[in-house]
Amino acid sequence: SRRILDTRPVPSVGAMGPNGGGVRLFIPGLPESVTDEEVAHVFGQYGRTLEAVVAKDRNSGVSRGFGYVTLEPGTNPDLILSATHVLGGKSIRVLMTKESLAGANVKRVHLSGCEHLSTEQIRDACSEFGQVWDVHTPKDPATGERKRFGFVTFGSEEGFERAVATGAIFVGGNRITIKPASGTDGGKGDGGKGKGGKGD
């Protein structure tokens, strides 16, 4: 697929991605009509766009319904993540990619009992604690079914601490237990037991 690239020199300060690659965001649920140029235009209001790409099927060239945008290093993702973006007439919320999260001081919680909730429901419920940078709902690689747990990454220590202190929340009649995820600074939860791909 064709990619829109900004070839101007990239500032080296404040990079969040690996090797100073900028802030990369995952854009789910794109309508088939959305182009790379439209993605670049919509997200260009938040900073210089280094890359904007709609994922396309190799054989047919038809959109696969998602895309990515990379903004220059040092771009604060909070405004982008909390906003709803209109692409192809559809309101969409974006998430940080794993690559961008790897370069940040992430604060991640493990959620139990959330297999029946959508990523949007989880995100909305956890946003009461602070800025949500990512929602990860692993799937069983053999069956493709969602696992009984998930993870939420917060953009601040305060959001992480509030979520952990709460211990559990009720969403759509489901009780969701919240613990620090393994690998989170100071986290001693059991969040690292399951591994799976990004899903929703």
Side-chain angles (χ1 to χ4, degrees):
S1 82
R2 201 172 107 237
R3 296 171 183 235
I4 304 300
L5 298 174
D6 185 335
T7 57
R8 292 178 285 177
V10 178
S12 60
V13 294
M16 292 192 64
N19 304 318
V23 178
R24 193 161 195 238
L25 302 162
F26 172 68
I27 312 166
L30 285 176
E32 194 174 302
S33 64
V34 174
T35 64
D36 296 346
E37 291 82 6
E38 185 176 354
V39 171
H41 175 74
V42 167
F43 292 96
Q45 67 184 314
Y46 297 100
R48 189 159 56 93
T49 303
L50 303 179
E51 177 186 49
V53 63
V54 174
K56 296 193 170 71
D57 181 271
R58 290 180 202 209
N59 298 322
S60 68
V62 174
S63 170
R64 293 178 59 200
F66 65 91
Y68 297 93
V69 64
T70 305
L71 300 172
E72 67 185 332
T75 301
N76 183 341
D78 290 346
L79 286 174
I80 304 164
L81 294 167
S82 61
T84 300
H85 311 279
V86 178
L87 290 153
K90 182 179 176 185
S91 294
I92 296 172
R93 291 173 71 185
V94 300
L95 297 167
M96 298 280 284
T97 63
K98 288 188 263 185
E99 296 84 13
S100 287
L101 291 172
N105 180 18
V106 297
K107 297 295 177 188
R108 190 166 72 147
V109 295
H110 175 270
L111 307 176
S112 298
C114 61
E115 69 273 17
H116 301 296
L117 301 176
S118 70
T119 55
E120 281 298 313
Q121 288 175 302
I122 294 169
R123 182 181 191 163
D124 289 344
C126 290
S127 290
E128 74 180 69
F129 304 118
Q131 180 63 56
V132 173
W133 278 11
D134 182 56
V135 176
H136 178 61
T137 54
K139 294 181 181 178
D140 183 308
T143 66
E145 290 190 25
R146 285 260 309 271
K147 294 191 177 186
R148 299 190 66 211
F149 59 89
F151 302 96
V152 170
T153 303
F154 290 97
S156 71
E157 177 74 31
E158 294 79 21
F160 169 79
E161 294 292 340
R162 281 194 289 269
V164 171
T166 300
I169 54 175
F170 285 89
V171 182
N174 298 303
R175 183 177 190 272
I176 311 303
T177 305
I178 305 171
K179 298 179 186 175
S182 295
T184 298
D185 294 343
K188 294 178 175 56
D190 59 355
K193 287 183 179 175
K195 293 182 179 169
K198 185 172 203 98
D200 54 317

